[in-house]
Amino acid sequence: MTYIQGQTGEWEMVIGLEVHAQVTSKAKLFSGASASFGGAPNAQVSFVDAGFPGMLPVINKYCVEQAVRTGLGLKAQINLTSVFDRKNYFYADLPNGYQISQFTQPIVGTGEIILDLEGGTSRTVGITRLHLEQDAGKSMHDQSPTETFVDLNRAGVALMEIVSEPDMRSGEEAAAYLKKLRAILRYLGSCDGNMEEGSMRCDVNLSMRRKGETKLGTRCEIKNVNSIRFVMQAIDYESARQVEVLEAGGTIKQETRLWDTGKGITRPMRSKEEAHDYRYFPDPDLLPLVLEAAWVEAIKATLPELPDDKKARFMAEYGLTNYDASVLVAEKASADYFEQVAKGRDGKLAANWVTSELFGALKRLGKTIEESPISGDALGGLVELISNDTISGRIAKDVFSDMLESGKSAAQIVEEKGLRQVTDTAAIGAEIDKILAANPDKVTEYRGGKDKLFGFFVGQVMKATGGKLNPTMLNDILKEKLKG
Ligand code: ADP
Ligand code: MG
């Protein structure tokens, strides 16, 4: 637990997150209009989305299925009966004047997310609910001095609002929560998790209380923070601000605030003293949504292996550390890549090569793992040559660079360049003899007790042989010979 030191004592942060995740669906939640990103303004609007009189919403079964899948992925209660409500909304970007959402009876109830934290520790955060709702369109006030433009392409697009319990205690935990949630959504394919394009948006609820206090303090909600880095910055700023107000004897007003990226501060947007006064009412156009238990079971049977299970399997099956396994399962593509490298080979060695050399190279090249110039199988070939002592780990680094550039296989490079490791005792002995003969004073010094010179001899022999000698054998034989 990390506490914040104030002027008058220590303070604890309490954070709950609301995430709006756009369902990966071709059509909107209640209409057949396209839900794709980046279309020309108002090119993707049906009469239902535009709120024409007499138009009736028809629920998109695919979106319901994605909400159920996501609920199952969050180990949550699936409510076989849920209800759609109208939440009053005043702006022109939802022409009906309300948003169809779910209030008292959401499709998904309580669940959990396990956070992977620094040092391989973990914590469980409760999920309060997940409900389906419509996204709003976009009002643009900056296109003309006298008019506001409205783009309804997003109006009616399906969102899953995922609400957490106020269980997080630091910015790092909030970041870990978002990363894990995003990973689960991506594994499931129910949302692409792209925060830059707005398909995953986060509202941060934060309050402070004195260390040891069990009652919750008054919270502020920071709206639409659109990257994990900004979430952490907003939490840093807002927690310090609240401590300052409270220590000066003030009180926190429950309000909605904005994160100002440019200034690095949060500022008030609107007060929210009567929190739930949206006057929700049941949508008379929509019957309660009733799911068959067998349908939910069938969906459950098709869930992919999710990050936590994959991580446990990687640790058991390949002997990976908690840390390496967490890094590899964070993205499904990296996990799949790793398994291609590791299949039938040394798992730990494979994990090292993927997380250090490969990730390092991809970062330098600005490429994703899907764009890796070296395939998983090709990297596996290199790992194999190290495992069976064909080449040393040091030579393998050169071979790896060569693979990146030439696209050739490790075996081909090793053959062409004659990099095969020397494991012949006599040959290694002969190389050592040459170096010892050339440095008689150093040999005398070593034998006189200057142990540090051992490294010098190893270096010289390796240099003379282009690093091709088996390092363990070199060490052993050299030690023998230096005994004199
Ligand atoms: P609203 O509609 O007002 O945003 P919700 O119930 O949808 O309310 O969301 C409330 C969010 O705020 C949840 O994520 C919850 O965990 C969090 N929360 C509630 N009370 C506190 C508090 N005192 N401090 C921090 N977070 C809180
Ligand atoms: Mg809210």
Side-chain angles (χ1 to χ4, degrees), residues 14 16-18 163-166 205 207 216-217 219 221 272 276:
V14 175
L17 299 178
E18 290 163 87
V163 182
S164 87
E165 290 291 302
N205 292 272
S207 65
L216 292 176
R219 72 182 146 121
E221 176 175 1
K272 204 172 185 181
H276 279 305

Side-chain angles (χ1 to χ4, degrees), residues 230-267:
F230 291 153
V231 165
M232 293 181 74
Q233 289 173 5
I235 288 173
D236 263 357
Y237 177 86
E238 180 63 15
S239 54
R241 183 190 74 83
Q242 291 189 13
V243 166
E244 211 176 290
V245 171
L246 292 167
E247 291 201 323
T251 49
I252 298 298
K253 256 197 355 204
Q254 184 169 337
E255 64 185 0
T256 302
R257 299 176 71 86
L258 275 180
W259 170 245
D260 184 329
T261 310
K263 296 204 180 95
I265 60 169
T266 67
R267 53 187 167 76

Side-chain angles (χ1 to χ4, degrees), residues 33-53:
S34 167
S36 66
F37 179 77
N42 297 309
Q44 299 165 187
V45 187
S46 76
F47 290 130
V48 174
D49 311 320
F52 274 43

